[in-house]
């Protein structure tokens, strides 16, 4: 089973609930049993998070933010204010993954951001979608080319669902990436680009248990990009599945 203190929820999953009632949404997440969340848009949400996280016994070890296209200073300052230790860039345009030189340029930009982050006591990371794995150059996935050119300061948060959609053997990929991977996005569905087909973890076609076994100790971050039903049903179902006895 996944220990509760090693389990988080990406708040993008409940973005529409946050718009309706931010406080009640964080309360519900805590009620389900989560103790950690992964915010997005952290600068804009800073005041609300600063109030709600401690109120409901939640912490945010990681956050998503566009470090490579926004002013990084306010992002790092906000992260430090909220006790967030790792800032993860979630998206570099698919067009930038088609050549080794472009991928190396992204690595250089992340390395620079990591050096800036270190001045604030913040670690920098990168999160993939499917296209970093669909890109294969000389037999190597684009994401692995990135990893080979990152400084030791930069970590990876592997979105295991999108890696599978992109054509990777995810357990093998995680084995090759090794200790650079500090967090996983855990999601489930039918393995296609149809976000609406995503489901609670354990209810889809992704080999979640094999993936978890191949990357022990990493933070497990539940996420759904979309869902056909009541989103909190999937959030609660994912928690129940991952904390069950049959899961690695």
């Amino acid at each position: 089973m996944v220990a509760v203190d090693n389990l988080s929820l990406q708040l993008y999953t409940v973005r529409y609930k946050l718009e309706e009632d931010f406080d009640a949404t964080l309360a519900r997440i805590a009620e389900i049993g989560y103790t950690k969340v992964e915010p997005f848009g952290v600068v804009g949400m800073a005041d609300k998070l600063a109030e709600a996280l401690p109120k409901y016994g939640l912490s945010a070890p990681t956050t998503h933010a566009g470090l490579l296209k926004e002013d990084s200073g306010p992002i790092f300052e906000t992260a430090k204010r909220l006790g967030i230790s790792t800032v993860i860039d979630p998206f570099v345009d698919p067009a930038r993954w088609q050549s080794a030189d472009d991928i190396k340029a992204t690595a250089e930009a992340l390395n620079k951001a990591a050096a800036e982050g270190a001045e604030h006591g913040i670690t920098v990371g990168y999160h993939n979608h499917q296209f970093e794995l669909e890109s294969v150059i000389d037999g190597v996935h684009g994401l692995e080319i990135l990893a080979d050119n990152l400084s030791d300061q930069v970590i990876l948060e592997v979105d295991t669902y999108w890696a599978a959609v992109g054509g990777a053997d995810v357990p093998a990929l995680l084995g090759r990436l090794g200790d650079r991977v500090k967090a996983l996005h855990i999601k489930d569905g039918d393995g296609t680009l149809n976000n609406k087909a995503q489901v609670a973890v354990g209810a889809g076609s992704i080999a979640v248990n094999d993936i978890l076994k191949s990357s022990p100790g990493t933070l497990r971050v539940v996420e759904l990009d979309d869902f056909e039903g009541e989103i909190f049903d999937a959030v609660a179902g994912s928690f129940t599945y991952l904390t069950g006895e049959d899961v690695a």
Side-chain angles (χ1 to χ4, degrees):
M1 68 179 66
V2 176
V4 172
D5 64 359
N6 202 35
L7 188 59
S8 184
L9 176 71
Q10 165 56 249
L11 290 181
Y12 184 77
T13 304
V14 293
R15 58 197 179 278
Y16 301 123
K17 298 288 188 181
L18 291 170
E19 291 172 3
E20 292 171 7
D21 191 326
F22 193 96
D23 190 81
T25 299
L26 272 290
R28 178 73 179 111
I29 291 167
E31 181 185 354
I32 290 168
Y34 291 90
T35 62
K36 293 179 170 63
V37 293
E38 183 175 76
F40 65 98
V42 70
V43 174
M45 290 187 190
D47 289 343
K48 290 181 177 179
L49 287 166
E51 179 180 352
L53 290 177
K55 183 177 180 180
Y56 297 111
L58 297 167
S59 64
T62 58
T63 188
H64 280 194
L67 284 171
L68 303 190
K69 56 186 178 183
E70 300 173 27
D71 183 359
S72 62
I75 295 171
F76 290 136
E77 289 165 12
T78 301
K80 193 167 185 178
R81 173 189 171 191
L82 295 172
I84 296 170
S85 59
T86 302
V87 175
I88 299 165
D89 195 298
F91 184 87
V92 169
D93 191 280
R96 302 292 297 168
W97 293 91
Q98 303 311 308
S99 75
D101 284 346
D102 281 346
I103 295 170
K104 289 174 183 177
T106 295
E108 290 174 11
L110 286 165
N111 293 342
K112 180 180 177 183
E116 295 170 357
E119 296 176 3
H120 298 264
I122 303 293
T123 298
V124 163
Y126 183 73
H127 160 281
N128 63 282
H129 289 80
Q130 85 283 356
F131 46 81
E132 298 93 338
L133 287 308
E134 289 175 339
S135 171
V136 178
I137 300 168
D138 295 330
V140 181
H141 290 295
L143 185 65
E144 293 182 85
I145 296 172
L146 178 79
D148 288 342
N149 289 277
L150 293 174
S151 74
D152 291 341
Q153 290 178 295
V154 184
I155 66 101
L156 291 176
E157 177 180 61
V158 175
D159 188 309
T160 58
Y161 183 83
W162 289 127
V165 173
D169 177 334
V170 180
L173 173 71
L174 291 171
R176 292 193 298 272
L177 292 173
D179 291 343
R180 189 180 292 279
V181 181
K182 301 299 184 187
L184 304 178
H185 265 200
I186 303 298
K187 60 181 74 169
D188 212 339
D190 66 357
T192 73
L193 290 170
N194 179 12
N195 288 348
K196 284 283 190 182
Q198 291 178 21
V199 295
V201 176
S205 63
I206 301 300
V208 172
N209 212 17
D210 292 341
I211 288 168
L212 294 174
K213 286 178 180 176
S214 66
S215 187
T218 51
L219 181 68
R220 284 71 159 99
V221 184
V222 171
E223 183 187 39
L224 289 93
D225 296 290
D226 212 335
F227 185 57
E228 284 285 6
E230 165 53 49
I231 190 61
F232 273 125
D233 291 344
V235 170
S238 297
F239 182 90
T240 298
Y241 177 80
L242 287 168
T243 57
E245 291 183 2
D246 294 334
V247 175

